[in-house]
Amino acid sequence: MELEGRLTDFSLEDIIKLLNSGKKTGVLNIQFVDEEGREKKIALYFKDGKIIHSTYGTLTGIPVLEELACVSQGQFIFSKGDISVQNDNDIINKKFDELIEIYKKAADRWRPLHKLFPSLNTEITLSEVNERKIDFTRQEWKIITSIGNGSTIKALIEKAKMSKIELLEILKHLKEKGIIEIKEQKQEVVDKSAGTIVPAPLRPEDTWFGGKPIGDKTASKLYKIMDGRKTLLELAKKLNISIEEAKKALDYLISIERATIVKK
């Protein structure tokens, strides 16, 4: 184990470039929680600083880098050691600079899309039929027929079997053409420093890298002193840390479903 931390403290691009400049061999695991609260993992395999393989569920290769560009929170850890790729077809033969460029372009495409569609649970509906003639691409028509009477973005991704970025770009174009409508989701804003923090119980099957139930030291300390009565400000004072550090730790605990904020 050589390198680990939170994605809120380090950029993935910097981490990947650091492993490349150090000519490291091993596996970089990025673990995060999706909107359904499920733990996900992306793995990048390095040999002498070059990315030779990547996996994310059933995805391998370049598409994994595009999915990685959509991840902004979670934990990362690099484990040094010899690696092997069982299937020669899964080996990535592109140069490191080319892979970085693919990742950066995907990240640039993702940011504005994420602002427009902040949640994969957002519901998409078809607008009322209008008289004007509109030309559609084959992919756009595929999505229109999949929407039907209404569908979430997550369901559309699964139906169309497209990447997140590819699907959202099509939805963006359809919205600009006035073909679809986005059903706004109301979100309740809670003041983290005012509400009391209630811990969720750790389950025996919950593990992080190296078997640790909580992969962040500050978050682990915060979890241990939660009693369901103190505010985040009170907990921060008890740990002798800043409210900003406490908020980061709480964000992490909430992301792995280990804490809940209850209004006073």
Side-chain angles (χ1 to χ4, degrees):
M1 187 184 298
E2 281 196 356
L3 183 69
E4 66 176 310
R6 297 183 301 188
L7 296 182
T8 50
D9 298 327
F10 303 91
S11 79
L12 273 170
E13 185 181 340
D14 288 343
I15 297 162
I16 293 169
K17 285 181 176 178
L18 180 64
L19 295 174
N20 173 255
S21 64
K23 299 187 182 303
K24 299 297 182 181
T25 295
V27 183
L28 176 66
N29 284 300
I30 300 99
Q31 192 158 346
F32 57 97
V33 177
D34 66 13
E35 289 188 40
E36 308 298 323
R38 296 172 300 189
E39 289 185 359
K40 300 284 185 177
K41 183 176 77 172
I42 290 176
L44 301 182
Y45 295 75
F46 287 77
K47 186 171 183 179
D48 298 325
K50 298 176 182 177
I51 300 173
I52 64 164
H53 183 47
S54 58
T55 61
Y56 175 43
T58 57
L59 281 181
T60 60
I62 303 300
V64 175
L65 290 177
E66 295 180 344
E67 289 294 325
L68 184 61
C70 304
V71 179
S72 60
Q73 292 191 3
Q75 297 283 321
F76 68 86
I77 185 168
F78 178 75
S79 300
K80 184 180 177 181
D82 293 334
I83 60 171
S84 62
V85 182
Q86 294 181 348
N87 191 338
D88 288 344
N89 293 328
D90 289 335
I91 294 177
I92 299 174
N93 291 312
K94 286 186 177 293
K95 294 179 180 178
F96 181 80
D97 288 344
E98 290 179 290
L99 295 178
I100 284 293
E101 194 60 27
I102 289 171
Y103 171 79
K104 287 170 70 174
K105 284 182 177 178
D108 289 341
R109 290 162 64 195
W110 166 249
R111 289 186 198 101
L113 292 171
H114 187 49
K115 286 182 181 178
L116 185 59
F117 306 101
S119 171
L120 296 185
N121 291 317
T122 299
E123 189 174 348
I124 304 297
T125 57
L126 294 175
S127 303
E128 293 183 9
V129 180
N130 55 55
E131 301 265 338
R132 31 189 207 108
K133 183 181 176 181
I134 303 174
D135 294 324
F136 300 111
T137 66
R138 197 164 149 192
Q139 293 286 59
E140 286 174 341
W141 185 248
K142 181 180 180 180
I143 298 305
I144 290 170
T145 55
S146 296
I147 292 172
N149 294 324
S151 178
T152 63
I153 294 174
K154 180 186 173 186
L156 288 173
I157 291 172
E158 292 171 355
K159 284 181 190 177
K161 295 182 179 178
M162 294 179 178
S163 72
K164 220 179 289 181
I165 292 176
E166 187 181 4
L167 186 280
L168 292 181
E169 283 181 332
I170 292 173
L171 289 179
K172 178 177 177 287
H173 293 151
L174 291 175
K175 184 177 183 298
E176 289 169 351
K177 291 178 179 180
I179 303 303
I180 64 168
E181 293 179 356
I182 303 171
K183 190 174 180 181
E184 297 294 336
Q185 292 184 318
K186 292 182 179 179
Q187 295 185 342
E188 188 177 19
V189 178
V190 178
D191 183 353
K192 293 176 184 175
S193 60
T196 56
I197 314 301
V198 180
L202 284 171
R203 299 164 296 189
E205 66 271 21
D206 285 327
T207 59
W208 205 260
F209 296 112
K212 296 178 287 185
I214 296 177
D216 178 271
K217 290 179 181 178
T218 304
S220 182
K221 290 176 182 177
L222 186 66
Y223 183 88
K224 287 176 183 177
I225 64 169
M226 288 180 188
D227 57 9
R229 296 188 298 273
K230 293 184 180 67
T231 65
L232 187 61
L233 185 59
E234 292 169 328
L235 292 170
K237 285 181 179 178
K238 190 164 184 179
L239 288 177
N240 196 26
I241 60 176
S242 69
I243 189 66
E244 287 74 21
E245 288 177 292
K247 283 181 178 179
K248 277 188 180 180
L250 178 59
D251 282 338
Y252 169 68
L253 289 172
I254 290 173
S255 76
I256 62 169
E257 298 183 302
R258 287 293 157 266
T260 304
I261 302 171
V262 178
K263 284 191 195 177
K264 281 183 146 185

